[in-house]
Amino acid sequence: MKDLNAFSLEGKIALVTGASYGIGFAIADAMAKAGATIVFNDIKQELVDKGIAAYEEAGIKAHGYVCNVCDEDAVNAMVAQIEKEVGVIDILVNNAGIIKRIPMIEMSAADFRQVIDVDLNAPFIVAKAVIPSMIKKGGGKIINICSMMSEFGRETVSAYAAAKGGLKMLTRNIASEYGEYNIQCNGIGPGYIATPQTAPLREVQPDGSRHPFDQFIIAKTPAGRWGEAEDLGGPAVFLASEASNFVNGLILYVDGGIHAYIGKQPS
């Protein structure tokens, strides 16, 4: 690497799934600031419209599409439309996902399948749709949002952990199968991030104390705080840029040090 230009995304087209808000929006925002043209999708037009408005407010011209990433035909049609209207996708971020916090023995098979479908099958479908054009173009970058639950288990998230563990291995397999075509596929494993989805876990209790789960996370994180969505921007830009051309099949955990820490000794 000769200089910091290796981190530039100028001239690149990045598709970030489910990026109307939250982690996906923060990653797309960072990539836009690095020079990328942003394309995103969401499942409803109203969410796409809200996303477009949020990007405009941030000074970003983004291209939004309505698409259910679990529907292979719809994904193929969206990718073809993007290639026609914007250009060939250079960077894919499989960000769209759901979580259902239900004890395993109380969870229906239908709920389990839905989480697997959105969090594992959909990244397979979208990656499968973009890889052929990446091969023709001479390379590309795929980033899967894998979560710490691709390594850890915890009560009430059996489906989510199973899906993210599978996504970790799909990441490594894409890297193995398509690395020879100059396609790098890596994952980001966010720690506990302060987003609307996690807001209930951070609510101040009636007595003014922190939520028990909030206390637990702070105690388990060497950084002593929840992550912010913006904390994922730098790692995502790195994995999307030429600076990471020899990085393939890696899961980069952005977790404030949780993976390295056994926790405080009880007093």
Side-chain angles (χ1 to χ4, degrees):
M1 186 178 71
K2 294 181 179 180
D3 52 43
L4 292 178
N5 287 335
F7 292 89
S8 173
L9 302 182
E10 287 290 341
K12 303 296 185 182
I13 295 170
L15 167 61
V16 186
T17 65
S20 296
Y21 60 93
I23 287 174
F25 181 90
I27 288 173
D29 178 64
M31 288 185 175
K33 288 174 180 173
T37 297
I38 301 302
V39 181
F40 74 98
N41 81 290
D42 220 312
I43 198 165
K44 296 179 180 178
Q45 185 65 55
E46 62 189 75
L47 293 174
V48 171
D49 292 342
K50 287 181 180 179
I52 291 291
Y55 284 108
E56 287 180 350
E57 186 176 350
I60 299 167
K61 181 182 179 182
H63 305 263
Y65 295 84
V66 177
C67 181
N68 178 356
V69 288
C70 298
D71 183 333
E72 186 169 11
D73 290 339
V75 168
N76 289 337
M78 177 184 69
V79 169
Q81 189 176 0
I82 292 169
E83 290 186 357
K84 180 180 178 180
E85 296 177 353
V86 187
V88 172
I89 295 162
D90 299 288
I91 302 158
L92 166 64
V93 182
N94 277 312
N95 165 76
I98 61 171
I99 187 170
K100 290 178 180 283
R101 296 183 178 91
I102 305 170
M104 181 176 166
I105 62 172
E106 297 174 16
M107 189 175 213
S108 68
D111 279 337
F112 188 91
R113 289 191 191 101
Q114 185 185 13
V115 175
I116 297 295
D117 202 26
V118 177
D119 293 355
L120 178 56
N121 290 341
F124 163 78
I125 289 169
V126 185
K128 180 184 171 186
V130 304
I131 286 172
S133 290
M134 287 182 174
I135 292 173
K136 291 178 183 177
K137 194 169 184 177
K141 303 281 187 173
I142 299 173
I143 302 170
N144 293 324
I145 305 303
C146 291
S147 168
M148 288 194 310
M149 293 299 107
S150 62
E151 289 287 341
F152 296 146
R154 190 171 60 77
E155 61 278 4
T156 77
V157 293
S158 58
Y160 186 76
K164 293 301 186 178
L167 185 58
K168 173 183 69 177
M169 294 313 300
L170 177 64
T171 300
R172 291 174 175 169
N173 201 80
I174 292 172
S176 302
E177 195 164 353
Y178 296 103
E180 65 179 294
Y181 298 101
N182 191 32
I183 293 172
Q184 291 84 49
C185 182
N186 295 290
I188 291 178
Y192 286 91
I193 306 297
T195 67
Q197 281 185 314
T198 60
L201 303 175
R202 292 177 283 107
E203 289 180 349
V204 176
Q205 302 303 286
D207 64 0
S209 66
R210 294 179 113 146
H211 188 289
F213 190 80
D214 188 10
Q215 295 179 40
F216 167 69
I217 292 306
I218 296 302
K220 288 291 291 182
T221 308
R225 65 174 177 88
W226 287 67
E228 300 293 336
E230 291 74 17
D231 290 324
L232 301 169
V237 168
F238 165 65
L239 292 177
S241 73
E242 292 182 1
S244 63
N245 278 355
F246 204 56
V247 179
N248 212 358
L250 170 76
I251 312 300
L252 176 57
Y253 291 99
V254 186
D255 63 2
I258 289 178
H259 270 77
Y261 190 45
I262 196 171
K264 293 182 180 179
Q265 180 178 330
S267 56

